Amino acid sequence: MQVVPFHRSTHARLILLVLVATVPFIALNLHLAKEERSHYRRAALDHSLAFARLVSSRVDDHISNMESLLHAIAAIVSHDLSAVAANDAKLTQIQSGLPSYFHSISVLTPEGRMLNSSTASPEERKDIRVTDRKYFKEAVALGLAIGEPVVSRTSENWVLILARSILGPDGSLRAVVSMSTRLTSFQQLLVPERLPAGSVMTLVNEQGIVLARSSEPEKWVGRNLSASPNFQQAVVEREFSAETVAFDGITRLSSYTTARRAPWIIYVGIPTETALAPTRAAMWRFAGLAALTSILALALAWWLSKMTAGPLRQLRRDVAELALGNLSHRSTVKSSSEVGLLANEFNRMAGELQSERTRLQISEERLRLAVTGARLGTWHWNLGTGELIWSERCREIFGVPANPPVSYDQFLALVHPEDRERLKQVVADALRDKTDFEFE
């Protein structure tokens, strides 16, 4: 019996069919996992942007407070700029009431010489000139300026200076009052509350200089990030959110926004791995569900194929047994499905064949008894080989020995010459017309 390869069998095809049926379910799970990951990504970006805007408002408030304080100090010292000692005392008194991150307050002449200071003595400031400082130039030109972060010439701390010009009644420049704040003051604005672990906030001025950073400020403050594509995009767009590789090379879900009181960039980044950590659990959950579904589908497919292909294979063996001539063989397949109907039909056909063979056997036996009783001779002619198969009685009638084979020509030679041609014609006509014939 020929063996069908497994991949071409009904068993394999049923398994494949059931597995294919599970594909939409698995695809749906993958889609849901992707949607959940997208949701967490969007939520993290929204969260980082909201926090960046919050820090931006803190920076604006801080700068606004410094501007208001500068305005008040300018009004206090402008009455008599020549009263150096009195103005020094006033500045010292004002600074004593300010938070510790305010570094110093100074009054500068139009030539950039330090006239008064809340921290530097007359001896310490006598040689100080600030005409090269950006904040001084802009205060002289624009009236109000925010400088670049610099190292203080008196304390060597990183400071940021705001300056305001003091004008006379005729509009001429009388002096410039400045206030410096340690960059640590901005550090206090970058408190990563309600942000996931590993999140980073950075404050960068318009030149790309880091003013403050929530993580490792001692390594970052003062660094120039102007070459960063993310910084350049933030300068152009003023605000955007995206998954970016941050300044430190870590991939984060990041938001950039710009303060209103100063053109400074606030960056808030949440590590992608941290933000999307819940989705990993979901992915494992979906993967486990998909695997379980596949296993159950495979088990179901195996069971269904066994229930279907098993009876079919048994029917195939039954047919092979019948083909070998065992007409008494019956299929044992029992089923209410089409396979069961096929088995019943097979058994009915086998029964009919067996009955027909029994009838033929009875008919042959009757013929044998009749031939034997009448002492008739019988012969069969193999048209393919030309051989005649004679019964013993036929050989006896014609006087032919029992063993040697007999051909048609030898048979004709035994016929009377007067009957030979007529017999040949009768046989030829019967073969041509496929009819029976009798000849005496």
Side-chain angles (χ1 to χ4, degrees):
M1 184 174 62
Q2 184 180 3
V3 177
V4 178
F6 178 77
H7 68 279
R8 295 178 57 187
S9 66
T10 304
H11 196 175
R13 292 177 182 180
L14 286 173
I15 292 175
L16 179 61
L17 178 62
V18 174
L19 289 178
V20 168
T22 65
V23 169
F25 177 75
I26 295 175
L28 176 62
N29 278 329
L30 292 176
H31 174 72
L32 292 176
K34 183 178 179 182
E35 286 294 313
E36 184 170 357
R37 184 177 179 86
S38 176
H39 168 74
Y40 273 93
R41 182 186 300 274
R42 185 67 262 170
L45 288 173
D46 291 342
H47 188 48
S48 64
L49 180 59
F51 213 88
R53 289 171 176 171
L54 174 62
V55 174
S56 174
S57 66
R58 293 174 181 174
V59 171
D60 288 335
D61 290 344
H62 188 70
I63 294 176
S64 180
N65 291 337
M66 292 182 67
E67 290 177 353
S68 298
L69 188 57
L70 273 179
H71 182 76
I73 293 172
I76 292 173
V77 300
S78 63
H79 295 294
D80 187 4
L81 293 175
S82 61
V84 175
N87 286 337
D88 280 350
K90 292 177 181 178
L91 296 182
T92 301
Q93 183 181 7
I94 292 171
Q95 180 160 347
S96 66
L98 296 177
S100 59
Y101 54 75
F102 282 99
H103 180 258
S104 66
I105 307 171
S106 303
V107 176
L108 309 169
T109 68
E111 295 77 24
R113 182 173 58 83
M114 187 174 292
L115 182 63
N116 299 106
S117 174
S118 62
T119 56
S121 65
E123 182 64 26
E124 292 172 331
R125 64 183 186 244
K126 67 178 180 179
D127 296 325
I128 295 178
R129 297 289 186 273
V130 296
T131 51
D132 61 327
R133 296 294 197 181
K134 176 178 177 290
Y135 72 87
F136 180 79
K137 294 178 182 178
E138 290 186 358
V140 171
L142 304 175
L144 181 67
I146 300 176
E148 298 176 353
V150 295
V151 177
S152 170
R153 291 177 176 174
T154 58
S155 67
E156 297 185 353
N157 292 320
W158 280 99
V159 297
L160 184 73
I161 301 176
L162 275 71
R164 179 185 181 89
S165 60
I166 301 176
L167 303 180
D170 58 354
S172 60
L173 181 65
R174 295 183 60 204
V176 172
V177 60
S178 68
M179 173 181 290
S180 63
T181 177
R182 293 182 179 87
L183 291 186
T184 54
S185 64
F186 294 102
Q187 199 69 36
Q188 300 175 17
L189 306 179
L190 306 183
V191 180
E193 54 193 26
R194 301 187 303 278
L195 285 178
S199 300
V200 170
M201 294 179 289
T202 306
L203 180 63
V204 185
N205 74 356
E206 67 272 27
Q207 283 79 38
I209 305 301
V210 176
L211 303 180
R213 184 176 167 91
S214 62
S215 174
E216 299 180 316
E218 67 281 357
K219 294 182 180 180
W220 287 90
V221 171
R223 289 180 60 173
N224 191 330
L225 305 179
S226 59
S228 167
N230 297 330
F231 170 77
Q232 295 170 3
Q233 183 178 352
V235 170
V236 173
E237 298 184 14
R238 296 187 63 81
E239 183 175 277
F240 77 94
S241 298
E243 183 175 12
T244 64
V245 178
F247 308 125
D248 54 6
I250 298 176
T251 300
R252 292 187 175 93
L253 296 170
S254 309
S255 289
Y256 298 79
T257 193
T258 305
R260 292 189 303 273
R261 304 292 297 183
W264 296 346
I265 306 297
I266 296 94
Y267 160 77
V268 176
I270 300 174
T272 300
E273 287 296 318
T274 302
L276 302 183
T279 67
R280 287 199 296 272
M283 287 294 291
W284 280 111
R285 185 171 66 253
F286 286 131
L289 185 59
L292 179 60
T293 302
S294 298
I295 292 173
L296 291 177
L298 185 60
L300 176 62
W302 190 269
W303 180 77
L304 288 176
S305 64
K306 184 178 180 181
M307 295 295 293
T308 304
L312 288 176
R313 286 196 297 269
Q314 180 58 47
L315 276 176
R316 186 167 179 267
R317 289 191 291 269
D318 295 335
V319 170
E321 188 70 21
L322 191 67
L324 292 175
N326 185 6
L327 299 184
S328 63
H329 179 77
R330 298 293 183 269
S331 177
T332 59
V333 173
K334 302 295 181 183
S335 174
S336 59
S337 65
E338 290 86 348
V339 177
L341 295 177
L342 184 61
N344 293 337
E345 188 64 21
F346 170 85
N347 289 337
R348 185 190 64 78
M349 180 188 69
E352 290 182 356
L353 288 174
Q354 186 178 20
S355 298
E356 184 64 25
R357 186 170 70 174
T358 301
R359 286 194 295 270
L360 287 175
Q361 289 174 342
I362 293 173
S363 177
E364 289 177 354
E365 180 62 19
R366 287 175 178 173
L367 178 61
R368 185 187 66 78
L369 292 175
V371 169
T372 302
R375 294 184 60 79
L376 298 176
T378 61
W379 58 273
H380 304 278
W381 183 15
N382 188 332
L383 296 176
T385 63
E387 180 184 3
L388 291 178
I389 303 173
W390 288 19
S391 67
E392 293 183 2
R393 177 56 183 158
C394 186
R395 287 177 177 269
E396 182 182 337
I397 292 172
F398 282 91
V400 176
N403 294 327
V406 180
S407 68
Y408 181 63
D409 291 337
Q410 289 174 319
F411 163 68
L412 289 176
L414 297 173
V415 177
H416 194 278
E418 294 180 358
D419 299 328
R420 191 176 299 157
E421 291 300 323
R422 189 162 59 90
L423 176 59
K424 289 175 61 178
Q425 185 61 45
V426 170
V427 172
D429 292 342
L431 291 176
R432 182 185 67 247
D433 300 333
K434 295 182 173 59
T435 59
D436 296 335
F437 73 92
E438 293 182 359
F439 185 82
E440 293 183 1

